[in-house]
Amino acid sequence: MTQVMPKTQTEQLMDAVLAKLQHDVGHELMVELFPENPLQYRLNHPRGAVLLAYGKSTFGVSESTDATFQARNVVLRLTLIFRQLNGTAGVISYLDRIRASLTGWYPPNADQACRPLSEQFIGHQNGVWQYTQDFATRATQLQFMPPEHGPLLKHAAFEDHP
């Protein structure tokens, strides 16, 4: 019997961002996770694609003295691959639309809304335009605390000492 492992914090965050983008622009574009082998990726959609990847995390100092409790600043990277540069079907228009879609949106388990960090032109090759957009949000990183073994405290009796 195989035990199904719950999705990690990062996987849940990426699933939520992917669902948000699929809801907002998925009927017009391909929206998917960044491919395992980017060199073999082929743009099959007639307009373009948005590819989601985990970028990085940075961590704040621990907020507690008895356990690790940190702010986790997460950066997610979108790669936009389009056949057209300008116009309503072009990558420039979708950079604006995706930025508007994610800016101010709270992913599940995040304590800060998404905010744009940067956008950059990657290049143009074989009639395809490529740009990146980086978005940040903040979550909390907690220390895993397994249940302690031994007898549970059933009753506490306190005495006053003068």
Side-chain angles (χ1 to χ4, degrees):
M1 184 157 126
T2 305
Q3 181 181 3
V4 177
M5 297 295 295
K7 289 196 173 190
T8 66
Q9 182 184 54
T10 304
E11 290 170 324
Q12 290 177 34
L13 175 62
M14 291 183 61
D15 284 351
V17 172
L18 197 64
K20 170 79 168 142
L21 291 172
Q22 286 172 338
H23 177 267
D24 292 351
V25 296
H27 57 286
E28 303 166 41
L29 308 169
M30 178 65 68
V31 179
E32 57 192 341
L33 293 175
F34 200 85
E36 296 287 334
N37 188 346
L39 294 177
Q40 291 183 349
Y41 180 78
R42 182 176 170 175
L43 177 61
N44 291 322
H45 195 278
R47 183 172 290 165
V50 179
L51 308 176
L52 170 65
Y54 169 71
K56 69 176 185 175
S57 289
T58 57
F59 298 87
V61 297
S62 183
E63 302 289 332
S64 176
T65 58
D66 62 344
T68 303
F69 178 85
Q70 299 170 277
R72 178 183 180 210
N73 298 296
V74 181
V75 176
L76 297 173
R77 172 159 286 183
L78 302 178
T79 302
L80 284 72
I81 303 172
F82 275 71
R83 299 189 190 283
Q84 187 174 328
L85 178 63
N86 297 301
T88 58
V91 68
I92 302 299
S93 176
Y94 280 95
L95 286 166
D96 290 341
R97 291 178 61 192
I98 291 168
R99 189 180 335 100
S101 169
L102 292 179
T103 300
W105 174 70
Y106 276 86
N109 305 316
D111 60 7
Q112 277 189 356
C114 286
R115 64 189 186 283
L117 293 179
S118 66
E119 295 176 344
Q120 183 174 344
F121 172 65
I122 298 175
H124 179 262
Q125 186 175 15
N126 299 328
V128 177
W129 299 90
Q130 295 185 30
Y131 280 79
T132 63
Q133 283 183 310
D134 286 348
F135 288 88
T137 188
R138 189 178 72 190
T140 301
Q141 182 66 42
L142 300 172
Q143 174 182 346
F144 174 71
M145 301 289 284
E148 293 186 23
H149 297 286
L152 299 175
L153 179 63
K154 298 285 185 187
H155 176 72
F158 297 97
E159 296 179 14
D160 287 330
H161 291 285

